[in-house]
Amino acid sequence: MVSEEMKQQRHQARQQRLKAQVDAAVARAGIEKGLLLVITGNGKGKSTAGFGTVARAVGHGLTAAVVQFIKGSWECGERNLLQQHGVEFSVMATGFTWDTQDKAADIAAAELVWQDAERFLADDSLDLVLLDELTYMLSYHYLPLERIEQALLNRPAKQHVVITGRACHRRLLELADTVSEIAAVKHAFDNGVKAQRGLDW
């Protein structure tokens, strides 16, 4: 029978080995640069994660801007909060494509907000830019991939960018430094629960 003292010694030895591995990984990670993060997948929480990153940056005194694609003119809790802290927003404000049913108008709206995105991505005073639900602009062929790629590649060297949305284009996945995929396991909406203020928007 193993004594409690031996269990503690084994646990301590495991934790010491783990600490050595983590310390070595931290020591190897010496590069500092602007990162491109992609948050994709079919699960709920992609925009929430993107806005969480913006909130974290602002909390550390960094500057940020947000471009929202596929959003309507309805109230947005994140926008209400972050605009009070100097975060500039550009919102497509057309709503979902099944609402507008007007591809030409959607493309024109996408072009207008993308001009703001290009301005943000060229601004070296901005530490972070969130391109919320940008992936749909490529899926629906509203914006050309080459133009998006050029703006991302030519942005200031220390500027971070977060892209959210389902079905991210493979080229953006290749360019990204970090890619997270949120899986759909269960969603309240599928059981008839409506989107609720403060939780979903």
Side-chain angles (χ1 to χ4, degrees), residues 30-142:
I31 300 170
E32 188 171 334
K33 65 171 212 161
L35 298 179
L36 175 58
L37 285 68
V38 169
I39 306 168
T40 190
N42 292 327
K44 173 178 168 51
K46 297 177 291 294
S47 292
T48 302
F51 277 112
T53 306
V54 175
R56 175 182 292 158
V58 171
H60 282 291
L62 302 182
T63 56
V66 175
V67 181
Q68 289 182 284
F69 300 94
I70 313 294
K71 296 293 184 188
S73 56
W74 57 81
E75 189 179 14
C76 171
E78 296 94 340
R79 193 162 65 241
N80 290 346
L81 175 66
L82 292 169
Q83 282 182 326
Q84 297 175 41
H85 295 276
V87 177
E88 184 176 351
F89 275 71
S90 178
V91 184
M92 192 165 157
T94 55
F96 299 105
T97 55
W98 56 83
D99 288 329
T100 64
Q101 300 178 21
D102 186 339
K103 187 171 183 177
D106 287 344
I107 290 173
E111 168 64 27
L112 281 177
V113 293
W114 181 249
Q115 289 176 19
D116 284 335
E118 288 179 321
R119 175 169 57 85
F120 295 152
L121 293 169
D123 186 347
D124 62 7
S125 73
L126 286 172
D127 299 301
L128 174 67
V129 177
L130 170 60
L131 303 174
D132 185 39
E133 311 213 64
L134 172 67
T135 61
Y136 299 102
M137 299 302 97
L138 291 171
S139 300
Y140 300 156
H141 306 289
Y142 288 179

